[in-house]
Amino acid sequence: MSIFILEDDMIQGQQLKKIVEEICEEKWIPFDFVEVTKSSKQIIDKIPLTTYIPIYFLDIEIKNEERKGFEVAQEIRKYDPNGIIVFVTTHSELAPISYKYMVSALTFIDKNSSFEERYHLIEQCLFHYKERNEQEKVTDDFVVDNARATVRVPFKQLEYMMTDEPHRLTLVAKDRLVSFYGTLKEIESMDERLFRCHQSYVVNILQISYYDAVEKRIVLKSGKQIPVSRRHVSKVRQLLKGER
Amino acid sequence: MFIYDVIAFIFIGISHILFYLKLIRYNKMSTLMIFTISVIFTIFLSTVVTMTGYPEFNTIMLLIFLLCLGLMKDKLPLMHNLYFALVSIVMITYCKIILLEVGFMLLIWSPFHLYIWTQSLIHLVVSAFLLLSILLLSKPIDRFAKFIVTSPLYYVTYFLLWIGLFIALILTYPQTNLLSDMFNEYGQVSYKLAIILFFILLLIVIISIHLMKVKIEEEQEKKLDETLLDYVRKLEHMYDDLASFRHDYLNILLSLSEGIRTENMEEIKRVYENVIAPTVKIMNHHELEIVKLSNIAIPEVKGLLSSKLISAQQQNINVMMDIPEKIKGVPIHIVTFIRAISIILDNAIEEAVKSKEKQLQIAFFEMDNGQYFIVRNSYQNDTVDLQKIYEKHYSSKGEKRGIGLYSLKRLLEKMDNVTLETSVEHPFFTQVLILKH
């Protein structure tokens, strides 16, 4: 488990390193080394030496090159598709979102924000890093990838999916809605944690709070309600008794 | 063979109604609904005609029925309603007559034998053909309907259609005294007249479709020119700003050097505060965002984005454009894309204005799995119920927003390769359109 910091201002680089080491010590996050450098080559060369999933803190503007950090990220992605990339920038509020999507970066850290804010954000990143390294699977994402749509949502955020129109699904997650091409039939068999409770609903079992027998509805942890059709009632009962 | 005729009658019924609905541009009716109505109406009509023995009812009842259907559409003047009902009746009836005639001629020339059921079969084939062509020609029909009501041909055709209707009435083997007399006397002439009339009307339809095409193209071009002109003006304006800044810059340096030469700290301070510090504004001026649009090679999109960008900046929103690479085209119909992104942008601007942060980000780029169009804006309310914003009448403030997002959803439902992702992360609201190639 390795931590890389790309920063051309040595003082800022060391500062970031100090914060990272402090957090790791306090929260028992293990790592092999923290590498602070201003040369992207040094990072790329060291990628083969890393074990598990490394985390990269990349300053976007290196030596007045506005996109340097982003280009480095693209380079890193060629060798390391799973590493966690965090961009460090002077104005994150308006940091280019395209960067985040194109190299699937985790987030942006704003150099100008207060020390506490920055500390908190770095801590979040390192928690994510720890979590990712502890999981057996690389990621636990729910992924639909057909000819007409690609959808990726962390499984634990997924609540349910429903049909809107023929061949049009809406995925409902904690703070997200995705409307895409697909059918429930194709979806329901994709993960055994998904459960078909209605003609047009598939629900994530992990999100179920209880079953309301009077209204014939499943109530989710978030309070959202999902109808259950009559022929699925017995299956819901079995499921909640743990007999599935 | 009886069943052939029944099916043919139903097809003709559907054709009439479908054609009429297309003409008045009423598209809220589902296919099933149209089908059911047509079947019921056809059965009802044939019962009435058989019971009373007056085939005239066919035409008259159909006219009344179509007029009633037209009442469902708001803002359709009665005269237009009547006009389109006439178009539907006359054109389809004549088409049918002529096609039946042609069908028979073909059959007589062909080596096939003539059976009793052959007539019914031809009837069926002709009606199926009519229905199919209406389904396939929906775009030209739409163009015709748009064009004809504003053109001088409208009055000419109105007159011709009335004559057409009258001849059609005579040709249905009428039983009323007056009409049947006329049929006996003028039947043959009417028949020829009908054919001539049909071709005249057909010619007019084709001409108006063509003229409308030209008109639409001209309008589109004009609109495009205007947006591009807007963009150019904005660029010129920025260039002027920059030029005048360069001019001032020399003077600023002069006054500074004067201050330094005399070591007059007060003077240096004054120059810095009054002259140099304000230039930060120019250097960081958000107007420069518009330059980033140069990566978009689709004039319509460039025009739309520049106008939205300008309107957002005029409302003091801090806008950031993020278009890292060249965009040459979109994998869906450009008009749909424009409509979708204008709804998204209008909503985003409206929300950003009300918020404390006043931030708006627009990103447009290609990735391996498709094209991404992202709009991210700050918003005021703490809680947004994601599912409700897409309902028809929901709105966080005022009616407009709710309807906008509702129609966005409707618009994208038919676009299979489009994924729409909406997410909130206070204080930001993000809409992502993913277009697969």
Side-chain angles (χ1 to χ4, degrees):
Chain A
M1 290 159 90
S2 340
I3 299 169
F4 291 98
I5 296 171
L6 177 74
E7 172 66 76
D8 59 344
D9 184 331
M10 262 324 182
I11 301 169
Q12 287 179 13
Q14 289 306 322
Q15 216 176 17
L16 183 58
K17 183 180 175 182
K18 221 179 107 197
I19 298 177
V20 167
E21 282 173 340
E22 220 176 279
I23 295 171
C24 287
E25 198 169 325
E26 200 180 310
K27 305 289 178 192
W28 297 91
I29 301 172
F31 62 88
D32 294 339
F33 59 85
V34 182
E35 168 95 22
V36 184
T37 173
K38 53 182 166 185
S39 118
S40 54
K41 195 171 168 295
Q42 215 161 331
I43 293 183
I44 306 286
D45 289 346
K46 277 208 170 178
I47 290 177
L49 303 179
T50 59
T51 48
Y52 300 102
I53 300 168
I55 184 165
Y56 306 86
F57 292 93
L58 307 175
D59 188 357
I60 296 184
E61 295 117 18
I62 296 283
K63 284 177 214 139
N64 298 327
E65 279 186 69
E66 233 180 83
R67 286 160 53 90
K68 184 70 184 172
F70 171 64
E71 280 157 19
V72 174
Q74 281 181 317
E75 189 74 14
I76 289 172
R77 274 286 173 256
K78 283 187 202 157
Y79 305 99
D80 179 7
N82 294 321
I84 302 160
I85 293 178
V86 177
F87 284 119
V88 183
T89 163
T90 38
H91 30 242
S92 86
E93 265 195 334
L94 287 179
I97 352 177
S98 58
Y99 291 8
K100 189 175 160 186
Y101 278 82
M102 287 166 115
V103 296
S104 43
L106 180 64
T107 188
F108 292 95
I109 293 176
D110 190 349
K111 284 184 184 175
N112 294 337
S113 61
S114 71
F115 180 79
E116 285 76 26
E117 259 179 82
R118 244 179 325 149
Y119 191 89
H120 179 72
L121 207 55
I122 295 169
E123 199 178 51
Q124 293 297 315
C125 294
L126 290 169
F127 281 159
H128 179 82
Y129 158 73
K130 186 184 173 196
E131 206 179 299
R132 280 280 296 276
N133 275 303
E134 281 168 356
Q135 272 162 7
E136 283 179 25
K137 266 181 165 181
V138 179
T139 46
D140 187 17
D141 281 354
F142 172 75
V143 184
V144 180
D145 193 3
N146 57 36
R148 289 164 178 143
T150 309
V151 180
R152 179 184 287 271
V153 177
F155 202 90
K156 58 180 181 187
Q157 284 185 17
L158 170 67
E159 292 188 323
Y160 63 93
M161 277 166 283
M162 58 186 223
T163 355
D164 246 353
E165 281 268 301
H167 295 286
R168 195 86 199 162
L169 294 179
T170 298
L171 177 152
V172 182
K174 222 177 91 211
D175 50 8
R176 207 176 332 178
L177 268 190
V178 189
S179 154
F180 62 102
Y181 179 91
T183 56
L184 282 187
K185 209 170 174 160
E186 146 200 18
I187 299 288
E188 69 176 324
S189 54
M190 282 172 55
D191 197 300
E192 52 185 18
R193 290 167 292 179
L194 293 174
F195 173 70
R196 180 78 166 257
C197 62
H198 186 275
Q199 168 82 16
S200 41
Y201 286 86
V202 162
V203 61
N204 179 359
I205 292 175
L206 307 177
Q207 295 283 353
I208 299 180
S209 172
Y210 63 91
Y211 170 64
D212 181 345
V214 184
E215 296 279 330
K216 291 206 171 48
R217 280 166 187 283
I218 288 175
V219 181
L220 299 184
K221 286 171 184 162
S222 63
K224 289 175 190 156
Q225 301 186 344
I226 294 156
V228 177
S229 48
R230 204 179 307 138
R231 66 195 181 96
H232 290 106
V233 167
S234 60
K235 272 202 288 174
V236 175
R237 287 181 194 281
Q238 272 177 14
L239 175 77
L240 291 177
K241 278 183 203 155
E243 290 172 7
R244 203 177 86 144
Chain B
M1 66 203 87
F2 175 67
I3 195 81
Y4 287 162
D5 278 327
V6 172
I7 296 174
F9 276 124
I10 289 175
F11 276 174
I12 293 289
I14 299 176
S15 309
H16 274 298
I17 291 172
L18 202 64
F19 189 36
Y20 174 69
L21 289 176
K22 283 207 164 123
L23 283 172
I24 64 168
R25 289 194 277 155
Y26 183 81
N27 46 16
K28 285 181 196 141
M29 214 187 265
S30 67
T31 325
L32 188 69
M33 182 80 172
I34 295 174
F35 180 74
T36 326
I37 287 186
S38 314
V39 171
I40 293 173
F41 181 70
T42 314
I43 293 171
F44 169 71
L45 207 58
S46 31
T47 329
V48 170
V49 171
T50 345
M51 298 270 280
T52 56
Y54 285 110
E56 297 92 309
F57 270 124
N58 257 329
T59 318
I60 293 165
M61 295 278 282
L62 182 63
L63 183 64
I64 295 170
F65 180 71
L66 290 183
L67 285 176
C68 291
L69 271 185
L71 292 179
M72 287 198 303
K73 188 174 161 90
D74 306 332
K75 290 185 210 144
L76 180 72
L78 187 68
M79 289 308 274
H80 289 182
N81 188 355
L82 185 63
Y83 179 80
F84 287 133
L86 284 177
V87 172
S88 167
I89 294 173
V90 172
M91 288 308 277
I92 290 184
T93 313
Y94 283 15
C95 260
K96 196 177 98 177
I97 291 174
I98 288 172
L99 286 174
L100 280 177
E101 193 75 6
V102 172
F104 263 115
M105 290 212 303
L106 284 179
L107 196 85
I108 287 166
W109 283 342
S110 73
F112 299 115
H113 293 293
L114 204 65
Y115 301 102
I116 308 173
W117 50 264
T118 326
Q119 192 175 2
S120 306
L121 189 66
I122 292 177
H123 191 191
L124 179 65
V125 171
V126 164
S127 49
F129 175 76
L130 270 177
L131 184 57
L132 203 69
S133 32
I134 289 173
L135 285 174
L136 291 177
L137 293 175
S138 63
K139 219 174 187 175
I141 291 173
D142 192 56
R143 268 196 216 129
F144 166 74
K146 247 191 247 169
F147 176 79
I148 197 76
V149 285
T150 55
S151 90
L153 286 172
Y154 176 64
Y155 300 100
V156 183
T157 42
Y158 220 135
F159 177 67
L160 289 178
L161 283 170
W162 275 113
I163 299 178
L165 184 76
F166 189 66
I167 296 176
L169 260 180
I170 293 176
L171 289 177
T172 47
Y173 303 97
Q175 297 301 313
T176 0
N177 284 336
L178 178 71
L179 286 174
S180 64
D181 286 349
M182 291 185 85
F183 176 69
N184 293 332
E185 207 162 321
Y186 303 115
Q188 277 304 314
V189 188
S190 307
Y191 197 73
K192 280 173 196 150
L193 211 59
I195 293 176
I196 296 170
L197 202 60
F198 172 75
F199 281 109
I200 295 176
L201 286 173
L202 194 68
L203 198 70
I204 293 178
V205 170
I206 292 172
I207 290 174
S208 34
I209 289 172
H210 179 74
L211 284 179
M212 191 61 197
K213 209 171 165 182
V214 176
K215 208 170 141 192
I216 288 175
E217 274 165 8
E218 269 172 11
E219 262 168 26
Q220 268 176 349
E221 218 152 87
K222 213 172 135 194
K223 218 171 155 192
L224 202 65
D225 284 351
E226 264 166 32
T227 48
L228 279 180
L229 212 64
D230 237 27
Y231 177 69
V232 170
R233 267 194 218 114
K234 189 85 183 163
L235 282 180
E236 275 172 357
H237 180 70
M238 279 167 50
Y239 180 77
D240 287 348
D241 271 3
L242 216 63
S244 74
F245 173 69
R246 212 168 53 178
H247 176 250
D248 291 347
Y249 191 67
L250 220 66
N251 291 330
I252 294 170
L253 285 184
L254 274 178
S255 52
L256 252 190
S257 75
E258 183 58 24
I260 291 167
R261 198 179 61 82
T262 56
E263 287 182 15
N264 183 349
M265 198 55 198
E266 277 304 303
E267 173 72 8
I268 296 172
K269 224 170 147 185
R270 195 189 61 79
V271 171
Y272 178 79
E273 271 162 17
N274 295 338
V275 190
I276 299 181
T279 56
V280 171
K281 239 184 179 170
I282 299 176
M283 298 304 267
N284 280 339
H285 207 297
H286 49 223
E287 277 189 356
L288 291 170
E289 291 303 307
I290 204 166
V291 179
K292 297 185 187 162
L293 289 178
S294 59
N295 265 340
I296 296 181
I298 320 159
E300 294 96 323
V301 178
K302 189 188 254 177
L304 180 85
L305 285 180
S306 71
S307 83
K308 297 291 174 203
L309 174 71
I310 292 164
S311 101
Q313 286 177 339
Q314 278 166 353
Q315 298 176 68
N316 285 325
I317 298 172
N318 194 0
V319 188
M320 166 153 178
M321 282 280 170
D322 177 13
I323 303 159
E325 276 143 43
K326 202 122 201 132
I327 303 269
K328 293 205 180 84
V330 283
I332 62 172
H333 197 276
I334 187 77
V335 176
T336 317
F337 182 72
I338 294 274
R339 277 178 66 195
I341 65 173
S342 26
I343 294 173
I344 294 175
L345 287 168
D346 285 344
N347 279 310
I349 292 173
E350 201 182 315
E351 282 300 307
V353 166
K354 285 186 277 179
S355 71
K356 199 170 74 225
E357 294 83 359
K358 290 197 194 299
Q359 302 278 10
L360 177 68
Q361 262 180 294
I362 300 167
F364 194 14
F365 53 92
E366 306 259 2
M367 296 226 306
D368 289 343
N369 59 355
Q371 211 168 40
Y372 281 65
F373 184 86
I374 303 177
V375 176
R376 185 161 173 260
N377 65 280
S378 53
Y379 70 97
Q380 190 57 67
N381 296 10
D382 304 332
T383 48
V384 172
D385 190 335
L386 274 183
Q387 267 168 303
K388 279 210 177 131
I389 58 171
Y390 286 104
E391 281 167 19
K392 197 168 184 178
H393 293 297
Y394 177 83
S395 162
S396 59
K397 218 170 222 177
E399 281 290 275
K400 227 172 126 198
R401 181 184 174 101
I403 286 174
L405 287 180
Y406 173 75
S407 46
L408 173 66
K409 200 178 160 192
R410 285 285 304 267
L411 187 67
L412 298 179
E413 257 162 17
K414 302 279 174 249
M415 300 280 127
D416 287 348
N417 58 340
V418 178
T419 303
L420 173 68
E421 188 176 320
T422 311
S423 57
V424 279
E425 193 184 340
H426 192 73
F428 287 105
F429 183 88
T430 313
Q431 295 267 33
V432 184
L433 265 188
I434 307 165
L435 317 170
K436 273 224 170 183
H437 297 293

